[in-house]
């Protein structure tokens, strides 16, 4: 409702109109990057006519596609997003929350900034492809305020994980094609999928903190996410025993247990420490036993073992070379379905080179085991509870569970065997293996790296303390983590560039690794001196590498001020009545119509014209 109220306000102020052009006409009139667009004749309707039509749209009196609501901005703008963008479409569609109460729905570029403003968002983080949307974001905020908290949009590189796809369109194809069971399939990179898999929020936050954010697109190793997940699980999950592929073992003292098929070998290799003919093994929390084959199936696979229990061994220290295996009691254990989830794709880059991602799906991303046996405690395990099955992995009790019939989703294996395998494969066959080669040190977050640098460099620590006296704490922390950033900051401050301008530009536009190379460059210093008055121009000049702000065509600032005031007569009256906070609005509007104009001159001209 609040969004719609603001839409009516724009219509009444003559800043939006109802357009009954077809989609084809709208595309045709939009123009191109080299040619201006053409405004629809519908824009000439009066505010009263547009308001009546908008209310018909809302009342459901018009069919889908009959018309749209568009902002009235600038059909000649270099930014195509500003060429009278669509604000509302008609869609007679049932909504999952509001039912059939609405038949018009807001477009992203209208909903996003208003949601942020209503919710007092200060920093709205978007991915890089929305950089062109920022100008429209600002326009919407400026023309629907004033807001208690003025939101701003910032763009960063999207998170790209290997062995997965992140595009909603491609994820939808996986769902609709039946490749996965839904948006909450535990293999999906969605919050719903991660929750059902058993990933904890704290683990996801730790992963985000580890990788940080960047202005450059890059691929993140999914192993880092899995590492954070295992770290959290190891601290917070209770341990129990379960057998995924059970073999019966008949004990000579009576009774039956199950052990895992992977723990038996007919012909044990050297160094093997699990069950084999005549080999002694310790049961976890139990006795030692020695087993032999009791029965085989038609395919030759062992179906049953017979074992002799070593009396009194439970209370003694295991003999040297004795392995320890997990097991469950056959009489009290619970039959369970276990779903062994793994990475969805067999290739680290399923879209590399324009490949069809559907062709590189991993065949074993889900293995369903129907006859697993679990400790008796799982008969009443709560849905959503998470467990470590000893020697097997980490699991979550799924929503499909029923009393006495649990279903477990594998969250993660106890360790990533692929890392060890890759290290082993890469080692020369004749070179002795380094036992430390497979130990991966914990990755440090960017914050931890900067903290470490300050801890070992007194000059950086002192510089950090100084910056905290002139800048917000977060900017001071980001700019004092290495010698290059310190040297560049100090050189710019010595040249008279204001602290706020230095901090804003270095944090948002200059990567930390690039700062040392800019120390002493006169062209960069000159650019930074201009950045206070023309930040956008300085940003574009730095990004292009020219370090020179392109001269804007001569603009009659006075005429631009007159035009903006005439187009916003209601706000001009409010300003003259004492609402002086609107000065920034007028200056911003003039700067948009007079790119390259001196901000100070525009400010003075607006003040003079408004009296």
């Amino acid at each position: 409702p609040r969004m719609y109220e603001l839409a009516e306000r724009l219509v009444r102020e003559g800043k939006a109109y109802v357009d009954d052009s077809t989609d084809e006409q709208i595309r045709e009139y939009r123009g191109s990057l080299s040619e201006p667009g053409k405004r629809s004749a519908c824009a000439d309707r009066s505010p009263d006519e547009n308001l009546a039509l908008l209310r018909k749209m809302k009342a459901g009196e018009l069919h889908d596609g009959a018309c749209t609501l568009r902002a009235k901005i600038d059909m000649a703008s270099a930014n195509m997003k500003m060429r009278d963008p669509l604000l509302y479409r008609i869609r007679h569609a049932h909504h999952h929350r509001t039912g059939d109460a609405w038949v018009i729905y807001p477009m992203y570029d209208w909903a996003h900034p208003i949601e942020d403003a209503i919710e007092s968002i200060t920093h709205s983080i978007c991915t890089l492809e929305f950089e062109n949307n920022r100008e429209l974001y600002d326009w919407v905020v400026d023309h629907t305020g004033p807001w208690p908290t003025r939101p701003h949009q910032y763009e960063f590189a999207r998170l790209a994980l290997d062995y997965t796809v992140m595009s909603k369109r491609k994820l939808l194809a996986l769902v609709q094609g039946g490749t996965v069971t839904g948006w909450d399939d535990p293999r999906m990179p969605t919050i719903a999928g991660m929750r059902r898999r058993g990933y904890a929020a704290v683990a996801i936050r730790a992963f985000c903190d580890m990788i940080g954010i960047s202005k450059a697109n890059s691929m993140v190793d999914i192993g880092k996410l899995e590492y954070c997940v295992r770290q959290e699980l190891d601290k917070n999950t209770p341990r129990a025993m379960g057998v995924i592929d059970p073999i019966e073992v008949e004990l000579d003292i009576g009774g039956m247990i199950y052990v895992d098929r992977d723990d038996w070998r007919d012909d044990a290799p050297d160094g093997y420490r699990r069950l084999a003919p005549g080999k002694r093994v310790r049961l976890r929390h139990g006795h030692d036993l020695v087993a032999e084959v009791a029965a085989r199936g038609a395919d030759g696979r062992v179906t049953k073992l017979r074992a002799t229990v070593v009396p009194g061994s439970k209370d003694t220290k295991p003999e040297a070379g004795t392995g320890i295996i997990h097991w469950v009691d056959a009489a009290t254990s619970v039959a369970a379905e276990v779903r062994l989830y793994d990475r969805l794709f067999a290739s680290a880059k399923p879209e590399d080179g324009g490949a069809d991602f559907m062709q590189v799906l991993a065949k074993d991303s889900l293995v369903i085991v129907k006859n697993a046996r679990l400790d008796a405690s799982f008969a009443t395990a709560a849905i959503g509870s998470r467990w470590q099955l000893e020697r097997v992995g980490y699991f979550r009790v799924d929503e499909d569970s029923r009393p006495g019939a649990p279903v477990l989703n594998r969250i993660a294996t106890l360790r990533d065997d692929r890392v060890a395998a890759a290290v082993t494969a890469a080692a020369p066959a004749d070179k002795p293996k380094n036992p430390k080669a497979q130990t991966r040190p914990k990755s440090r977050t960017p914050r931890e790296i900067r903290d470490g640098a300050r801890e070992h460099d007194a000059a950086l620590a002192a510089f950090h303390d100084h910056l905290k006296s002139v800048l917000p704490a977060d900017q001071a922390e980001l700019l004092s983590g290495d010698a290059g950033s310190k040297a560049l900051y100090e050189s710019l401050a010595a040249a008279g560039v204001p602290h706020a301008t230095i901090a804003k530009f270095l944090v948002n536009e200059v990567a930390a690794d690039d700062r040392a190379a800019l120390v002493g460059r006169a062209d960069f210093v000159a650019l930074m001196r201009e950045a206070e008055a023309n930040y956008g121009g300085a940003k574009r000049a730095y990004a292009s590498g020219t370090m020179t702000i392109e001269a804007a065509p001569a603009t009659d600032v006075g005429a631009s001020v007159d035009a903006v005031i005439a187009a916003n007569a209601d706000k001009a009256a409010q300003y003259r009545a004492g609402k002086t906070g609107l000065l920034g609005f007028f200056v911003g509007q003039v700067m948009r119509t007079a790119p390259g104009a001196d901000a100070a001159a525009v400010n003075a001209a607006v003040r003079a014209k408004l009296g």
Side-chain angles (χ1 to χ4, degrees), residues 431-514:
K431 184 177 179 179
K433 291 184 175 65
N434 179 355
K436 294 183 179 180
Q438 296 180 13
T439 303
R440 301 176 67 189
K442 178 183 181 296
S443 299
R444 293 195 299 164
T445 66
R447 174 65 180 265
E448 289 171 337
I449 293 172
R450 293 190 295 270
D451 285 343
R454 287 187 287 266
E455 183 178 345
H456 294 91
D457 188 332
L460 283 180
F463 181 57
H464 183 211
D465 290 339
H466 166 66
L467 287 187
K468 286 192 292 185
S469 68
V470 295
L471 295 175
D474 58 339
Q475 292 183 341
E477 194 281 319
L478 288 167
L479 294 169
S480 61
D482 62 276
S485 297
K486 174 179 179 292
L488 180 58
Y489 192 101
E490 289 178 332
S491 67
L492 293 171
V497 181
H499 289 285
T501 302
I502 300 173
K504 179 180 179 182
F505 203 90
L506 296 193
V507 168
N508 293 309
E509 315 302 341
V510 184
D513 292 342
D514 297 335

Side-chain angles (χ1 to χ4, degrees), residues 186-205:
R187 294 165 290 179
M188 291 281 277
T190 59
I191 294 297
M194 291 179 176
R195 181 182 291 119
R196 191 165 187 181
R197 178 82 169 256
Y199 287 10
V202 65
I204 298 173
R205 288 196 294 269

Side-chain angles (χ1 to χ4, degrees), residues 1-64:
R2 179 74 173 126
M3 285 183 197
Y4 176 76
E5 290 171 11
L6 292 170
E8 283 206 353
R9 171 180 154 187
L10 283 193
V11 170
R12 288 194 298 270
E13 294 174 351
K15 297 169 187 171
Y17 61 95
V18 174
D19 189 1
D20 51 20
S21 300
T22 64
D23 287 346
E24 292 75 17
Q25 288 173 322
I26 290 174
R27 282 193 290 270
E28 179 187 349
Y29 284 12
R30 186 170 287 128
S32 66
L33 292 174
S34 58
E35 298 178 351
K38 175 184 176 183
R39 179 162 283 155
S40 166
C42 298
D44 294 332
R45 290 184 175 126
S46 69
D48 289 342
E49 290 177 285
N50 283 314
L51 192 59
L53 286 170
L54 176 59
R55 288 174 177 171
K56 282 188 175 182
M57 290 171 60
K58 179 177 180 291
E61 297 178 18
L62 304 173
H63 60 79
D64 287 8

Side-chain angles (χ1 to χ4, degrees), residues 224-475:
K224 293 181 178 179
L225 171 60
E226 294 166 344
Y227 168 82
C228 293
V229 169
R230 287 190 184 91
Q231 288 290 99
E232 185 277 330
L233 289 166
D234 186 57
K235 297 175 185 176
N236 299 312
T237 52
R239 297 188 179 192
M241 288 197 285
V243 176
I244 303 301
D245 190 1
I247 298 178
E248 287 185 350
V249 181
E250 182 181 346
L251 304 178
D252 65 338
I253 59 173
M256 190 85 68
I257 65 171
Y258 290 111
V259 298
D260 205 297
R261 184 174 299 279
D262 283 344
D263 284 332
W264 170 265
R265 291 289 185 276
D266 286 334
D267 298 308
D270 291 342
Y272 188 72
R273 300 181 61 186
R274 288 174 278 176
L275 285 170
K279 195 169 185 66
R280 182 167 170 167
V281 170
R282 170 71 57 92
L283 295 177
R284 181 72 165 163
H285 309 300
H287 291 82
D288 290 1
L289 53 78
V290 179
E292 60 182 18
V293 175
R296 294 182 184 272
D299 58 359
R301 291 190 354 137
V302 173
T303 58
K304 187 175 182 179
L305 299 174
R306 183 178 299 110
T308 300
V309 176
V310 179
S313 56
K314 181 178 180 180
D315 299 321
T316 63
K317 184 177 180 181
E319 294 181 356
T322 300
I324 301 175
I325 64 171
H326 61 283
W327 60 282
V328 293
D329 177 54
T332 60
S333 62
V334 180
E337 177 180 313
V338 175
R339 298 168 181 173
L340 303 175
Y341 289 102
D342 205 341
R343 296 172 182 175
L344 188 56
F345 293 95
S347 169
K349 298 181 179 179
E351 303 167 276
D352 202 22
D356 181 359
F357 70 101
M358 297 294 284
Q359 300 304 311
V360 289
L361 290 163
K363 293 182 174 62
D364 56 354
S365 67
L366 171 58
V367 175
I368 299 178
V369 179
K370 294 286 189 180
N371 62 334
R373 305 293 300 193
L374 305 179
D375 184 85
S377 60
F378 281 95
T380 56
I383 289 175
S385 61
R386 302 180 306 154
W387 302 79
Q388 180 189 135
L389 295 186
E390 296 195 34
R391 300 181 65 238
V392 179
Y394 299 99
F395 294 82
R396 175 185 181 272
V397 180
D398 189 73
E399 286 76 2
D400 290 340
S401 299
R402 297 292 179 267
V407 176
L408 266 59
N409 297 333
R410 184 170 69 186
I411 307 170
T413 55
L414 293 178
R415 67 187 184 95
D416 192 343
D417 295 328
R418 284 162 290 209
V419 174
V423 173
T424 303
D430 57 348
K431 184 177 179 179
K433 291 184 175 65
N434 179 355
K436 294 183 179 180
Q438 296 180 13
T439 303
R440 301 176 67 189
K442 178 183 181 296
S443 299
R444 293 195 299 164
T445 66
R447 174 65 180 265
E448 289 171 337
I449 293 172
R450 293 190 295 270
D451 285 343
R454 287 187 287 266
E455 183 178 345
H456 294 91
D457 188 332
L460 283 180
F463 181 57
H464 183 211
D465 290 339
H466 166 66
L467 287 187
K468 286 192 292 185
S469 68
V470 295
L471 295 175
D474 58 339
Q475 292 183 341

